[in-house]
Amino acid sequence: MSDTTPHSSSSPNPPPSPETHVIDYRAAEQLLAARDPRGAVKLLDSVIAAHPENTAARLLRARAFFAAAQLRPAELEFELVLEREPDNAFAHFALARTYQRSGRHEQARKHFRLAAALDPQPEYMAAARFED
């Protein structure tokens, strides 16, 4: 006789699905926009645990760490993004801002200039201070 009744799980919540991770990523974007970077980090931790190769999630988590003034974790995430995408102008710019906030001005200048060289938008060009 076969058992056709569904088996109950010992945990009340099913494991997260890829759709759950997309929802969490989008919710983290909204939390960061609403100035809740710690809430964003919390959501992104599970997304990154399931998809450590996801550069977009890592970049968003780096931004959230920066917004929460967690500069060392932000620095590590921005550096990881740049290892994977060395031509990411925004990541160079954001890493430079992180270095600047940490008082590491020479490192900041290098990444401001890389950002401006990769994407000469006005904000990056002004931060690069090529005339100095």
Side-chain angles (χ1 to χ4, degrees), residues 3-4 12 17-18 20 24 29 32-33 47 56 58 70 78 87 90 92 94 97 104 110 112 114 124 128 130:
D3 182 8
T4 58
S17 68
T20 302
D24 285 348
E29 287 179 315
L32 188 57
V47 173
R58 288 194 175 275
Q70 295 180 7
F78 286 130
D87 61 344
F90 175 78
H92 280 288
R97 289 181 57 214
R104 294 155 60 192
K110 173 187 169 193
F112 279 137
L114 284 166
Y124 297 174
F130 284 113

PDB file of all heavy atoms in Angstrom, residues 3-4 12 17-18 20 24 29 32-33 47 56 58 70 78 87 90 92 94 97 104 110 112 114 124 128 130:
ATOM      1  N   ASP A   3       1.841   5.209   0.307  1.00  0.00           N
ATOM      2  CA  ASP A   3       1.484   6.360   1.141  1.00  0.00           C
ATOM      3  C   ASP A   3       1.345   7.570   0.234  1.00  0.00           C
ATOM      4  O   ASP A   3       2.305   8.025  -0.357  1.00  0.00           O
ATOM      5  CB  ASP A   3       2.575   6.579   2.188  1.00  0.00           C
ATOM      6  CG  ASP A   3       2.252   7.725   3.121  1.00  0.00           C
ATOM      7  OD1 ASP A   3       1.128   8.246   3.054  1.00  0.00           O
ATOM      8  OD2 ASP A   3       3.139   8.089   3.910  1.00  0.00           O
ATOM      9  N   THR A   4       0.157   8.106   0.089  1.00  0.00           N
ATOM     10  CA  THR A   4      -0.077   9.257  -0.793  1.00  0.00           C
ATOM     11  C   THR A   4      -0.233  10.552  -0.020  1.00  0.00           C
ATOM     12  O   THR A   4      -0.455  11.592  -0.606  1.00  0.00           O
ATOM     13  CB  THR A   4      -1.331   9.036  -1.662  1.00  0.00           C
ATOM     14  OG1 THR A   4      -2.444   8.824  -0.808  1.00  0.00           O
ATOM     15  CG2 THR A   4      -1.122   7.875  -2.610  1.00  0.00           C
ATOM     16  N   PRO A  12       9.208  24.697   9.705  1.00  0.00           N
ATOM     17  CA  PRO A  12       7.953  25.332   9.293  1.00  0.00           C
ATOM     18  C   PRO A  12       8.054  26.043   7.953  1.00  0.00           C
ATOM     19  O   PRO A  12       7.062  26.227   7.288  1.00  0.00           O
ATOM     20  CB  PRO A  12       7.663  26.318  10.425  1.00  0.00           C
ATOM     21  CG  PRO A  12       8.993  26.582  11.054  1.00  0.00           C
ATOM     22  CD  PRO A  12       9.807  25.340  10.859  1.00  0.00           C
ATOM     23  N   SER A  17      13.779  29.544  -2.406  1.00  0.00           N
ATOM     24  CA  SER A  17      13.850  29.228  -3.828  1.00  0.00           C
ATOM     25  C   SER A  17      14.577  30.363  -4.552  1.00  0.00           C
ATOM     26  O   SER A  17      14.769  31.433  -3.981  1.00  0.00           O
ATOM     27  CB  SER A  17      12.441  29.088  -4.396  1.00  0.00           C
ATOM     28  OG  SER A  17      11.802  30.358  -4.386  1.00  0.00           O
ATOM     29  N   PRO A  18      14.956  30.141  -5.808  1.00  0.00           N
ATOM     30  CA  PRO A  18      15.548  31.260  -6.565  1.00  0.00           C
ATOM     31  C   PRO A  18      14.636  32.486  -6.610  1.00  0.00           C
ATOM     32  O   PRO A  18      15.103  33.608  -6.553  1.00  0.00           O
ATOM     33  CB  PRO A  18      15.766  30.666  -7.956  1.00  0.00           C
ATOM     34  CG  PRO A  18      15.911  29.195  -7.705  1.00  0.00           C
ATOM     35  CD  PRO A  18      14.987  28.895  -6.549  1.00  0.00           C
ATOM     36  N   THR A  20      12.626  33.403  -4.260  1.00  0.00           N
ATOM     37  CA  THR A  20      12.746  34.056  -2.948  1.00  0.00           C
ATOM     38  C   THR A  20      13.965  34.963  -2.927  1.00  0.00           C
ATOM     39  O   THR A  20      13.911  36.074  -2.397  1.00  0.00           O
ATOM     40  CB  THR A  20      12.859  32.993  -1.830  1.00  0.00           C
ATOM     41  OG1 THR A  20      11.719  32.151  -1.883  1.00  0.00           O
ATOM     42  CG2 THR A  20      12.958  33.645  -0.468  1.00  0.00           C
ATOM     43  N   ASP A  24      14.060  38.855  -2.241  1.00  0.00           N
ATOM     44  CA  ASP A  24      14.903  39.422  -1.186  1.00  0.00           C
ATOM     45  C   ASP A  24      15.842  40.496  -1.734  1.00  0.00           C
ATOM     46  O   ASP A  24      16.059  41.526  -1.095  1.00  0.00           O
ATOM     47  CB  ASP A  24      15.723  38.325  -0.491  1.00  0.00           C
ATOM     48  CG  ASP A  24      14.889  37.474   0.450  1.00  0.00           C
ATOM     49  OD1 ASP A  24      13.731  37.851   0.744  1.00  0.00           O
ATOM     50  OD2 ASP A  24      15.401  36.428   0.887  1.00  0.00           O
ATOM     51  N   GLU A  29      17.012  46.300  -2.111  1.00  0.00           N
ATOM     52  CA  GLU A  29      17.128  47.578  -2.835  1.00  0.00           C
ATOM     53  C   GLU A  29      16.197  48.626  -2.227  1.00  0.00           C
ATOM     54  O   GLU A  29      16.601  49.775  -2.023  1.00  0.00           O
ATOM     55  CB  GLU A  29      16.775  47.400  -4.317  1.00  0.00           C
ATOM     56  CG  GLU A  29      17.794  46.677  -5.131  1.00  0.00           C
ATOM     57  CD  GLU A  29      17.370  46.525  -6.579  1.00  0.00           C
ATOM     58  OE1 GLU A  29      16.201  46.174  -6.857  1.00  0.00           O
ATOM     59  OE2 GLU A  29      18.223  46.753  -7.455  1.00  0.00           O
ATOM     60  N   LEU A  32      17.438  49.772   1.215  1.00  0.00           N
ATOM     61  CA  LEU A  32      18.560  50.697   1.092  1.00  0.00           C
ATOM     62  C   LEU A  32      18.060  52.075   0.666  1.00  0.00           C
ATOM     63  O   LEU A  32      18.482  53.094   1.222  1.00  0.00           O
ATOM     64  CB  LEU A  32      19.597  50.153   0.104  1.00  0.00           C
ATOM     65  CG  LEU A  32      20.905  50.926   0.037  1.00  0.00           C
ATOM     66  CD1 LEU A  32      21.584  51.028   1.401  1.00  0.00           C
ATOM     67  CD2 LEU A  32      21.850  50.260  -0.964  1.00  0.00           C
ATOM     68  N   ALA A  33      17.129  52.111  -0.271  1.00  0.00           N
ATOM     69  CA  ALA A  33      16.547  53.389  -0.707  1.00  0.00           C
ATOM     70  C   ALA A  33      15.795  54.077   0.430  1.00  0.00           C
ATOM     71  O   ALA A  33      15.758  55.309   0.501  1.00  0.00           O
ATOM     72  CB  ALA A  33      15.617  53.166  -1.898  1.00  0.00           C
ATOM     73  N   VAL A  47      20.912  35.766   0.280  1.00  0.00           N
ATOM     74  CA  VAL A  47      21.041  35.724  -1.181  1.00  0.00           C
ATOM     75  C   VAL A  47      22.474  35.363  -1.558  1.00  0.00           C
ATOM     76  O   VAL A  47      22.717  34.487  -2.404  1.00  0.00           O
ATOM     77  CB  VAL A  47      20.634  37.078  -1.816  1.00  0.00           C
ATOM     78  CG1 VAL A  47      20.919  37.089  -3.303  1.00  0.00           C
ATOM     79  CG2 VAL A  47      19.172  37.394  -1.533  1.00  0.00           C
ATOM     80  N   ALA A  56      26.028  41.426  -8.564  1.00  0.00           N
ATOM     81  CA  ALA A  56      25.051  42.487  -8.292  1.00  0.00           C
ATOM     82  C   ALA A  56      24.645  42.487  -6.821  1.00  0.00           C
ATOM     83  O   ALA A  56      24.543  43.554  -6.203  1.00  0.00           O
ATOM     84  CB  ALA A  56      23.833  42.329  -9.187  1.00  0.00           C
ATOM     85  N   ARG A  58      26.426  41.346  -4.348  1.00  0.00           N
ATOM     86  CA  ARG A  58      27.603  41.771  -3.570  1.00  0.00           C
ATOM     87  C   ARG A  58      27.783  43.286  -3.644  1.00  0.00           C
ATOM     88  O   ARG A  58      28.110  43.937  -2.654  1.00  0.00           O
ATOM     89  CB  ARG A  58      28.853  41.051  -4.044  1.00  0.00           C
ATOM     90  CG  ARG A  58      28.846  39.595  -3.624  1.00  0.00           C
ATOM     91  CD  ARG A  58      30.204  38.963  -3.785  1.00  0.00           C
ATOM     92  NE  ARG A  58      30.210  37.621  -3.270  1.00  0.00           N
ATOM     93  CZ  ARG A  58      30.407  37.296  -1.994  1.00  0.00           C
ATOM     94  NH1 ARG A  58      30.606  38.225  -1.098  1.00  0.00           N
ATOM     95  NH2 ARG A  58      30.399  36.037  -1.618  1.00  0.00           N
ATOM     96  N   GLN A  70      29.789  50.709   7.943  1.00  0.00           N
ATOM     97  CA  GLN A  70      30.592  49.506   8.183  1.00  0.00           C
ATOM     98  C   GLN A  70      31.636  49.456   7.066  1.00  0.00           C
ATOM     99  O   GLN A  70      31.482  48.749   6.070  1.00  0.00           O
ATOM    100  CB  GLN A  70      29.703  48.262   8.196  1.00  0.00           C
ATOM    101  CG  GLN A  70      28.716  48.255   9.340  1.00  0.00           C
ATOM    102  CD  GLN A  70      27.836  47.016   9.326  1.00  0.00           C
ATOM    103  OE1 GLN A  70      28.036  46.093   8.554  1.00  0.00           O
ATOM    104  NE2 GLN A  70      26.844  46.999  10.200  1.00  0.00           N
ATOM    105  N   PHE A  78      33.479  45.617  -2.085  1.00  0.00           N
ATOM    106  CA  PHE A  78      33.832  46.361  -3.304  1.00  0.00           C
ATOM    107  C   PHE A  78      35.069  45.744  -3.963  1.00  0.00           C
ATOM    108  O   PHE A  78      35.130  45.623  -5.189  1.00  0.00           O
ATOM    109  CB  PHE A  78      34.077  47.841  -3.006  1.00  0.00           C
ATOM    110  CG  PHE A  78      32.826  48.635  -2.732  1.00  0.00           C
ATOM    111  CD1 PHE A  78      32.733  49.446  -1.610  1.00  0.00           C
ATOM    112  CD2 PHE A  78      31.753  48.609  -3.611  1.00  0.00           C
ATOM    113  CE1 PHE A  78      31.594  50.196  -1.358  1.00  0.00           C
ATOM    114  CE2 PHE A  78      30.596  49.355  -3.368  1.00  0.00           C
ATOM    115  CZ  PHE A  78      30.522  50.143  -2.245  1.00  0.00           C
ATOM    116  N   ASP A  87      36.547  46.472 -14.629  1.00  0.00           N
ATOM    117  CA  ASP A  87      36.144  47.655 -15.395  1.00  0.00           C
ATOM    118  C   ASP A  87      34.842  48.273 -14.874  1.00  0.00           C
ATOM    119  O   ASP A  87      34.219  49.082 -15.554  1.00  0.00           O
ATOM    120  CB  ASP A  87      36.013  47.302 -16.874  1.00  0.00           C
ATOM    121  CG  ASP A  87      34.964  46.232 -17.133  1.00  0.00           C
ATOM    122  OD1 ASP A  87      34.544  45.542 -16.174  1.00  0.00           O
ATOM    123  OD2 ASP A  87      34.574  46.062 -18.300  1.00  0.00           O
ATOM    124  N   PHE A  90      31.600  52.211 -11.296  1.00  0.00           N
ATOM    125  CA  PHE A  90      30.904  52.531 -10.048  1.00  0.00           C
ATOM    126  C   PHE A  90      31.592  51.867  -8.854  1.00  0.00           C
ATOM    127  O   PHE A  90      31.739  52.492  -7.798  1.00  0.00           O
ATOM    128  CB  PHE A  90      29.429  52.115 -10.086  1.00  0.00           C
ATOM    129  CG  PHE A  90      28.768  52.346  -8.757  1.00  0.00           C
ATOM    130  CD1 PHE A  90      28.380  53.622  -8.378  1.00  0.00           C
ATOM    131  CD2 PHE A  90      28.605  51.304  -7.849  1.00  0.00           C
ATOM    132  CE1 PHE A  90      27.821  53.863  -7.117  1.00  0.00           C
ATOM    133  CE2 PHE A  90      28.044  51.530  -6.595  1.00  0.00           C
ATOM    134  CZ  PHE A  90      27.649  52.806  -6.230  1.00  0.00           C
ATOM    135  N   HIS A  92      34.726  51.100  -8.526  1.00  0.00           N
ATOM    136  CA  HIS A  92      35.952  51.864  -8.237  1.00  0.00           C
ATOM    137  C   HIS A  92      35.603  53.147  -7.481  1.00  0.00           C
ATOM    138  O   HIS A  92      36.264  53.494  -6.493  1.00  0.00           O
ATOM    139  CB  HIS A  92      36.705  52.220  -9.526  1.00  0.00           C
ATOM    140  CG  HIS A  92      37.530  51.112 -10.061  1.00  0.00           C
ATOM    141  ND1 HIS A  92      38.696  50.681  -9.469  1.00  0.00           N
ATOM    142  CD2 HIS A  92      37.362  50.327 -11.159  1.00  0.00           C
ATOM    143  CE1 HIS A  92      39.215  49.698 -10.166  1.00  0.00           C
ATOM    144  NE2 HIS A  92      38.416  49.454 -11.191  1.00  0.00           N
ATOM    145  N   ALA A  94      32.922  53.821  -5.661  1.00  0.00           N
ATOM    146  CA  ALA A  94      32.412  53.526  -4.318  1.00  0.00           C
ATOM    147  C   ALA A  94      33.540  53.062  -3.392  1.00  0.00           C
ATOM    148  O   ALA A  94      33.568  53.431  -2.214  1.00  0.00           O
ATOM    149  CB  ALA A  94      31.311  52.478  -4.403  1.00  0.00           C
ATOM    150  N   ARG A  97      35.350  56.133  -2.329  1.00  0.00           N
ATOM    151  CA  ARG A  97      34.620  56.842  -1.264  1.00  0.00           C
ATOM    152  C   ARG A  97      34.804  56.146   0.082  1.00  0.00           C
ATOM    153  O   ARG A  97      34.912  56.797   1.123  1.00  0.00           O
ATOM    154  CB  ARG A  97      33.139  56.952  -1.617  1.00  0.00           C
ATOM    155  CG  ARG A  97      32.896  57.930  -2.751  1.00  0.00           C
ATOM    156  CD  ARG A  97      31.441  58.074  -3.115  1.00  0.00           C
ATOM    157  NE  ARG A  97      30.663  58.478  -1.965  1.00  0.00           N
ATOM    158  CZ  ARG A  97      29.404  58.077  -1.740  1.00  0.00           C
ATOM    159  NH1 ARG A  97      28.803  57.269  -2.585  1.00  0.00           N
ATOM    160  NH2 ARG A  97      28.757  58.485  -0.690  1.00  0.00           N
ATOM    161  N   ARG A 104      42.073  57.132   4.028  1.00  0.00           N
ATOM    162  CA  ARG A 104      43.123  56.563   3.177  1.00  0.00           C
ATOM    163  C   ARG A 104      43.060  57.269   1.815  1.00  0.00           C
ATOM    164  O   ARG A 104      42.625  56.705   0.818  1.00  0.00           O
ATOM    165  CB  ARG A 104      42.924  55.060   3.078  1.00  0.00           C
ATOM    166  CG  ARG A 104      43.145  54.421   4.447  1.00  0.00           C
ATOM    167  CD  ARG A 104      42.458  53.126   4.670  1.00  0.00           C
ATOM    168  NE  ARG A 104      42.850  52.074   3.748  1.00  0.00           N
ATOM    169  CZ  ARG A 104      42.177  50.936   3.643  1.00  0.00           C
ATOM    170  NH1 ARG A 104      41.107  50.719   4.374  1.00  0.00           N
ATOM    171  NH2 ARG A 104      42.571  50.017   2.800  1.00  0.00           N
ATOM    172  N   LYS A 110      43.516  56.944  -6.249  1.00  0.00           N
ATOM    173  CA  LYS A 110      43.763  55.941  -7.301  1.00  0.00           C
ATOM    174  C   LYS A 110      42.439  55.413  -7.872  1.00  0.00           C
ATOM    175  O   LYS A 110      42.262  55.358  -9.092  1.00  0.00           O
ATOM    176  CB  LYS A 110      44.584  54.781  -6.734  1.00  0.00           C
ATOM    177  CG  LYS A 110      44.739  53.624  -7.682  1.00  0.00           C
ATOM    178  CD  LYS A 110      45.419  52.442  -7.014  1.00  0.00           C
ATOM    179  CE  LYS A 110      45.318  51.202  -7.880  1.00  0.00           C
ATOM    180  NZ  LYS A 110      45.681  49.994  -7.169  1.00  0.00           N
ATOM    181  N   PHE A 112      39.358  56.783  -7.518  1.00  0.00           N
ATOM    182  CA  PHE A 112      38.585  57.858  -8.148  1.00  0.00           C
ATOM    183  C   PHE A 112      39.055  58.044  -9.593  1.00  0.00           C
ATOM    184  O   PHE A 112      38.258  58.200 -10.510  1.00  0.00           O
ATOM    185  CB  PHE A 112      38.747  59.182  -7.391  1.00  0.00           C
ATOM    186  CG  PHE A 112      37.874  59.316  -6.169  1.00  0.00           C
ATOM    187  CD1 PHE A 112      38.394  59.845  -4.991  1.00  0.00           C
ATOM    188  CD2 PHE A 112      36.526  58.966  -6.188  1.00  0.00           C
ATOM    189  CE1 PHE A 112      37.605  60.006  -3.861  1.00  0.00           C
ATOM    190  CE2 PHE A 112      35.720  59.124  -5.063  1.00  0.00           C
ATOM    191  CZ  PHE A 112      36.263  59.646  -3.895  1.00  0.00           C
ATOM    192  N   LEU A 114      40.623  55.828 -11.522  1.00  0.00           N
ATOM    193  CA  LEU A 114      40.225  54.671 -12.337  1.00  0.00           C
ATOM    194  C   LEU A 114      38.758  54.775 -12.738  1.00  0.00           C
ATOM    195  O   LEU A 114      38.397  54.488 -13.886  1.00  0.00           O
ATOM    196  CB  LEU A 114      40.484  53.367 -11.581  1.00  0.00           C
ATOM    197  CG  LEU A 114      41.929  52.923 -11.509  1.00  0.00           C
ATOM    198  CD1 LEU A 114      42.109  51.822 -10.464  1.00  0.00           C
ATOM    199  CD2 LEU A 114      42.405  52.448 -12.873  1.00  0.00           C
ATOM    200  N   TYR A 124      32.478  61.520 -11.293  1.00  0.00           N
ATOM    201  CA  TYR A 124      33.733  60.784 -11.220  1.00  0.00           C
ATOM    202  C   TYR A 124      34.920  61.684 -11.580  1.00  0.00           C
ATOM    203  O   TYR A 124      35.971  61.621 -10.952  1.00  0.00           O
ATOM    204  CB  TYR A 124      33.727  59.568 -12.154  1.00  0.00           C
ATOM    205  CG  TYR A 124      32.698  58.501 -11.844  1.00  0.00           C
ATOM    206  CD1 TYR A 124      32.530  57.421 -12.689  1.00  0.00           C
ATOM    207  CD2 TYR A 124      31.868  58.540 -10.711  1.00  0.00           C
ATOM    208  CE1 TYR A 124      31.609  56.422 -12.431  1.00  0.00           C
ATOM    209  CE2 TYR A 124      30.937  57.556 -10.458  1.00  0.00           C
ATOM    210  CZ  TYR A 124      30.806  56.502 -11.318  1.00  0.00           C
ATOM    211  OH  TYR A 124      29.891  55.516 -11.061  1.00  0.00           O
ATOM    212  N   ALA A 128      38.070  62.738  -9.163  1.00  0.00           N
ATOM    213  CA  ALA A 128      39.415  62.302  -9.575  1.00  0.00           C
ATOM    214  C   ALA A 128      40.440  63.419  -9.420  1.00  0.00           C
ATOM    215  O   ALA A 128      41.613  63.149  -9.233  1.00  0.00           O
ATOM    216  CB  ALA A 128      39.383  61.795 -11.007  1.00  0.00           C
ATOM    217  N   PHE A 130      42.053  65.466 -11.451  1.00  0.00           N
ATOM    218  CA  PHE A 130      43.214  65.252 -12.316  1.00  0.00           C
ATOM    219  C   PHE A 130      44.163  66.452 -12.311  1.00  0.00           C
ATOM    220  O   PHE A 130      45.347  66.312 -12.596  1.00  0.00           O
ATOM    221  CB  PHE A 130      42.780  64.942 -13.749  1.00  0.00           C
ATOM    222  CG  PHE A 130      42.271  63.541 -13.914  1.00  0.00           C
ATOM    223  CD1 PHE A 130      40.935  63.314 -14.208  1.00  0.00           C
ATOM    224  CD2 PHE A 130      43.112  62.447 -13.770  1.00  0.00           C
ATOM    225  CE1 PHE A 130      40.466  62.032 -14.369  1.00  0.00           C
ATOM    226  CE2 PHE A 130      42.647  61.157 -13.924  1.00  0.00           C
ATOM    227  CZ  PHE A 130      41.311  60.945 -14.227  1.00  0.00           C
TER     228      PHE A 130
END
